Amino acid sequence: MLSLFPTLLSWEELAPLLIRLVLGAIFIYWSYKRLSDKSGSGRSKAIGAVDGILAVLLVIGLWTQLAAIIVAIDLIVRIIKKVTEKAFLTQGVNYYLVLLVLAISLIVSGAGWVAFDLGL
């Protein structure tokens, strides 16, 4: 493989770890927001709980590819909702698109370093 910095290729498993941690942190925040909202509906609380479970799975690296598939589906639903509201390619949708690409990269690459998935 041709690389500008070939010595950095030995660190290639670091990228999925960083992606997992970033996605997990974002989903922890979204989960906290939904679960701490006193006026939230039961459906909103359930979505917050699912977001929290996905966040924990991503952060610890357990069933990473399955969690990333569910995250990708969640993000696709959020994007579709924004598109139906005629808000395509606004700040929120751009953010969701980047997160969707990160989730897809985890589906393809796996968990990376420091994960329970390493033995699978």
Side-chain angles (χ1 to χ4, degrees):
M1 176 183 291
L2 186 59
S3 174
L4 187 58
F5 303 106
T7 56
L8 290 179
L9 292 177
S10 62
W11 291 85
E12 67 187 345
E13 289 295 311
L14 181 65
L17 168 66
L18 296 175
I19 292 171
R20 275 190 306 115
L21 294 177
V22 167
L23 271 177
I26 290 168
F27 270 75
I28 286 171
Y29 173 72
W30 287 351
S31 173
Y32 173 75
K33 262 181 47 177
R34 284 189 185 262
L35 293 175
S36 65
D37 183 16
K38 302 291 186 216
S39 63
S41 66
R43 181 177 180 265
S44 177
K45 300 284 186 189
I47 292 172
V50 170
D51 285 352
I53 292 168
L54 290 172
V56 169
L57 290 176
L58 287 172
V59 168
I60 67 172
L62 181 62
W63 299 323
T64 303
Q65 290 174 312
L66 176 62
I69 289 171
I70 297 169
V71 164
I73 292 168
D74 179 20
L75 291 166
I76 289 169
V77 168
R78 290 174 192 248
I79 291 169
I80 289 171
K81 184 178 175 188
K82 288 283 189 181
V83 169
T84 58
E85 295 171 352
K86 306 276 191 257
F88 189 63
L89 291 182
T90 59
Q91 292 295 78
V93 176
N94 295 343
Y95 181 59
Y96 293 153
L97 285 171
V98 170
L99 294 178
L100 177 61
V101 170
L102 291 177
I104 291 170
S105 73
L106 280 179
I107 295 168
V108 173
S109 68
W113 285 338
V114 193
F116 285 102
D117 282 356
L118 285 177
L120 298 178

